[in-house]
Amino acid sequence: MLLQNAIEDFRFHCKYEKNLNSKTLRAYDIDLTQFLEIFYTYEVQKIDKYNLKDYVEKLYDNNYKIKTIKRKLAVIKALFNYLEFDEIIEVNPFRKLRVALKEPKMLPKALDLKEIQVILKYLYMHKQKHQLKDTCNYKLLVRDILTIEMLFATGVRVSELSNLKINEINIKTGMIKIFGKGSKERIIQICDHEVLSLLKEYVKLFNLENKKGFFLLNRLDKRFSEQGIRLMVQKHQEQVNASKHITPHMFRHSFATLLLEEGVDVRYIQNMLGHASISTTQIYTKVNTKHQRKILNTKHPRKHLSFIA
């Protein structure tokens, strides 16, 4: 069987038998197409570990990050696992491949409370000074503030917030149903009264009562996309002359690190972030060295000892 035909079968399997979501399918398509471009004329039975080694080398030569290379290889490995299971090939060539791909450990970049305060203070002042409450610009400003507030208040991923539906949020209580990676569901609640008030104002301005569809909207009343949210954050970052490049995901990191600083158990934070493994959440315990210094300076028992006359 030609690789092209095998990939088509695998795509069908992923879509209709594994029921993978559309975002995952698009990512698979990119990696499978890239693999097919190199081995277009090959029969799948003749692709061996040496071909796979050449493919890994090409990925390195194209300066892909280790994380990206691991993802691309995982997709191709899933393809060959499927072909082996369906007895199209006798042995998955990945069984004979040994590739050690170690990612450099990067600590997540977060904003401290003062940096978040600067952004929100600017936006709220701008909102208060706005003369015309029924204009499109005012509506979009309220949406922008609410988007940033929700990112910080809940720690959701930007994709989760962008895809949030109207019926997945209780406007009165602030209870939100989030569908995360792997369609795993979790519940998180907005408890701050100012954010809840802003939430209700947004719903009224965009006339969302008793409507269906996406919760956050752009000026065309379409879904406020992930890229739209990133550009919005970047725009307001430039307006306040922030000293660092700010992304929506940094509010998620801030949510986790600041809760840890307040003494919240890491397992509660794991649940709120939707992490499958506690080890993913524990990286936040290594982030804030300034807070660590403060703890050791004020809490360490050595301060009770003195030997200098």
Side-chain angles (χ1 to χ4, degrees), residues 226-286:
E226 292 99 313
Q227 182 63 7
I229 294 174
R230 292 187 189 98
L231 292 173
M232 177 273 291
V233 170
Q234 184 180 337
K235 178 184 77 173
H236 295 309
Q237 166 210 317
E238 292 169 355
Q239 288 172 339
V240 299
N241 295 317
S243 58
K244 65 172 70 168
H245 174 63
I246 300 173
T247 67
H249 211 65
M250 291 170 76
F251 291 98
R252 177 173 167 85
H253 297 323
S254 301
F255 171 85
T257 53
L258 292 172
L259 283 177
L260 275 171
E261 287 182 14
E262 292 294 326
V264 178
D265 189 287
V266 70
R267 292 197 176 275
Y268 288 118
I269 298 172
Q270 175 194 1
N271 181 264
M272 288 185 281
L273 292 176
H275 286 161
S277 170
I278 189 67
S279 61
T280 308
T281 316
Q282 284 172 333
I283 193 171
Y284 291 104
T285 63
K286 305 174 185 177

Side-chain angles (χ1 to χ4, degrees), residues 84-98:
E84 183 183 39
F85 184 81
D86 264 25
E87 300 180 347
I88 296 170
I89 59 175
E90 289 186 12
V91 179
N92 182 346
F94 273 92
R95 293 182 184 275
K96 300 180 180 181
L97 186 67
R98 295 287 182 269

Side-chain angles (χ1 to χ4, degrees), residues 144-233:
D144 291 356
I145 301 172
L146 179 64
T147 302
I148 292 174
E149 285 277 29
M150 289 181 72
L151 287 169
F152 181 45
T154 63
V156 294
R157 300 175 180 92
V158 63
S159 59
E160 294 169 345
L161 185 57
S162 174
N163 287 289
L164 183 68
K165 303 292 198 324
I166 295 170
N167 63 350
E168 292 166 353
I169 179 167
N170 187 314
I171 307 303
K172 292 181 180 179
T173 64
M175 193 82 74
I176 305 174
K177 186 185 293 184
I178 303 293
F179 292 93
K181 290 183 177 180
S183 297
K184 291 181 180 177
E185 180 184 319
R186 68 186 190 276
I187 302 293
I188 194 162
Q189 189 165 3
I190 296 173
C191 297
D192 186 272
H193 294 298
E194 287 188 3
V195 183
L196 285 171
S197 176
L198 190 70
L199 183 66
K200 292 170 184 175
E201 183 182 4
Y202 168 80
V203 169
K204 189 174 181 180
L205 283 170
F206 279 79
N207 194 26
L208 297 183
E209 296 95 338
N210 304 316
K211 285 191 176 180
K212 296 180 180 179
F214 293 105
F215 178 69
L216 289 177
L217 304 174
N218 61 22
R219 62 175 65 247
L220 300 175
D221 285 340
K222 304 293 183 181
R223 179 176 72 94
F224 195 21
S225 68
E226 292 99 313
Q227 182 63 7
I229 294 174
R230 292 187 189 98
L231 292 173
M232 177 273 291
V233 170

Side-chain angles (χ1 to χ4, degrees), residues 287-300:
V287 173
N288 202 324
T289 54
K290 184 170 68 174
H291 184 65
Q292 182 190 78
R293 180 182 178 88
K294 181 181 177 182
I295 291 172
L296 294 175
N297 191 38
T298 58
K299 303 294 184 182
H300 198 288

